[in-house]
Amino acid sequence: MNYTPGYIKLYETRDLHKRRDLLYEKLVSCDLCPKNCKINRHKNIGFCKVGDKIKVSEFVLYKGEEPPLVGNTGAGGVFFSNCSMRCVYCQNFNFSQKGFGKEFSAKELANKFIWLQNEKNVQNIDLVTATPYLPFIYDALILAIEKGLKIPLLWNTSSYETVETLKFLDGIVDIYLADIRYTSQYAANRYSKTPDYWQFAKDAIVEMYTQIKGEYVFENNIMKKGLIIRILVLPNNIDEAKEALKFISKINKNILVSLMDQYVPVYKAKEYPEINRLLKQTEYEKVINTMIDLDLNGWIQEHKLL
């Protein structure tokens, strides 16, 4: 069996083109993310600092994703510049917070998709923090399909998304790789200046699950379709992680979970004493135990630090 990405059918019916046109209309009064800035991005920039140009930090053969997303080669990482959140511990702060990157046209972006597929033999096109760039991505996707793009599209997201925007991705995104960062207003505001994070993330996760229909498609141990939810456990914040796991279990215990023990206090974390250290093994194990108690499946990491 050779998996056919969902976007192929939508290209053939021209639904992809229709969605692109609707997305471009939003640039005049942007509401693509929960910040709902409603600014004209042809003239100004909103909270995410993105105007009407594509800006990418790097295109990379990325092996840092979960095993079924990388295989023997890697995911095709496309790391977009800027972000709708302000995470004080962001490991990608140079491009997510400081805007480092280079501008590309839609045609150039399409060529990079093809380069990742044909030259780097990646398993998927891994779009990282891509929401502000959605209209341009559709342009590039259409051009890339015409050049022979045929691997799954992966949406790598903080889950700070609106359901309305996610509906544009229905049938186009094959794999959702979604974070749950926080479950409380306090933590979301303190560490990411996004107090309404959980309000939107809950609905976003449900929408992503609904689109995937709870289905997982694997070929030779490589995921072609599915939903993976990531939880980065923060020091002194294990209750956030536990609540996230409980939320997932209520949707469907078959959802694959990646419980991450890789927090490093970088960027502005030193200004927040409670997270200005590595995660303790005892903290991580408590969250693992909750995952086990809830009978959830997925991945845990070997603790190598404190």
Side-chain angles (χ1 to χ4, degrees), residues 9-20:
K9 181 180 179 180
L10 293 179
Y11 170 84
E12 292 171 347
T13 62
R14 295 194 67 80
D15 192 35
L16 192 54
H17 304 71
K18 293 174 183 176
R19 295 190 197 186
R20 174 200 60 189

Side-chain angles (χ1 to χ4, degrees), residues 40-291:
N40 184 339
R41 286 175 48 186
H42 296 295
K43 298 179 179 179
N44 299 294
I45 58 173
F47 187 88
C48 68
K49 299 181 181 179
V50 180
D52 59 1
K53 299 288 191 299
I54 303 168
K55 197 174 185 182
V56 178
S57 168
E58 60 183 339
F59 301 89
V60 63
L61 180 64
Y62 189 57
K63 298 185 178 182
E65 309 293 30
E66 283 65 26
L69 302 179
V70 299
N72 294 324
T73 55
V78 183
F79 289 83
F80 290 91
S81 303
N82 299 300
C83 185
S84 296
M85 296 178 70
R86 296 288 183 268
C87 301
V88 299
Y89 51 83
C90 183
Q91 295 184 5
N92 299 328
F93 64 88
N94 277 327
F95 60 87
S96 69
Q97 308 294 320
K98 297 185 177 181
F100 174 83
K102 179 183 175 183
E103 289 187 357
F104 293 84
S105 67
K107 182 179 180 180
E108 289 170 329
L109 183 59
N111 288 338
K112 287 291 189 180
F113 290 169
I114 295 298
W115 172 76
L116 286 167
Q117 173 185 274
N118 295 350
E119 302 299 325
K120 295 298 183 181
N121 298 312
V122 299
Q123 304 296 337
N124 48 63
I125 300 297
D126 182 0
L127 303 173
V128 184
T129 320
T131 302
Y133 298 95
L134 202 48
F136 323 121
I137 289 170
Y138 274 48
D139 247 351
L141 183 59
I142 290 167
L143 293 170
I145 292 168
E146 293 168 352
K147 293 175 181 285
L149 189 71
K150 57 183 179 181
I151 56 178
L153 199 64
L154 189 158
W155 193 254
N156 192 329
T157 175
S158 67
S159 300
Y160 189 52
E161 307 268 17
T162 68
V163 169
E164 180 186 16
T165 294
L166 287 173
K167 286 185 181 299
F168 278 95
L169 301 174
D170 192 4
I172 292 171
V173 166
D174 302 282
I175 302 168
Y176 280 107
L177 181 57
D179 293 347
I180 294 182
R181 302 279 179 87
Y182 316 102
T183 57
S184 73
Q185 183 180 38
Y186 175 82
N189 185 53
R190 180 164 174 80
Y191 305 128
S192 294
K193 306 298 184 288
T194 311
D196 57 356
Y197 172 82
W198 189 225
Q199 170 190 334
F200 282 94
K202 284 188 293 186
D203 292 341
I205 294 288
V206 171
E207 174 64 22
M208 288 184 263
Y209 172 78
T210 301
Q211 289 184 20
I212 297 298
K213 300 179 178 64
E215 296 177 10
Y216 288 89
V217 176
F218 292 86
E219 290 181 6
N220 299 319
N221 298 318
I222 299 298
M223 182 181 288
K224 302 294 183 177
K225 180 180 179 180
L227 165 65
I228 296 174
I229 299 180
R230 284 175 162 174
I231 300 172
L232 176 64
V233 185
L234 299 179
N236 285 309
N237 281 268
I238 64 171
D239 286 345
E240 301 279 326
K242 289 180 178 180
E243 288 302 313
L245 290 169
K246 292 174 184 176
F247 172 77
I248 295 167
S249 71
K250 290 177 182 177
I251 300 174
N252 192 322
K253 289 183 179 292
N254 292 324
I255 293 174
L256 293 176
V257 177
S258 180
L259 193 63
M260 300 190 295
D261 173 19
Q262 60 189 56
Y263 172 79
V264 179
V266 297
Y267 192 38
K268 297 182 179 180
K270 63 181 180 296
E271 299 173 17
Y272 300 80
E274 71 276 16
I275 61 169
N276 189 29
R277 63 168 172 82
L278 300 174
L279 188 70
K280 294 178 180 178
Q281 183 171 355
T282 53
E283 291 174 307
Y284 189 54
E285 287 177 347
K286 287 177 181 177
V287 184
I288 291 174
N289 288 338
T290 298
M291 185 173 170

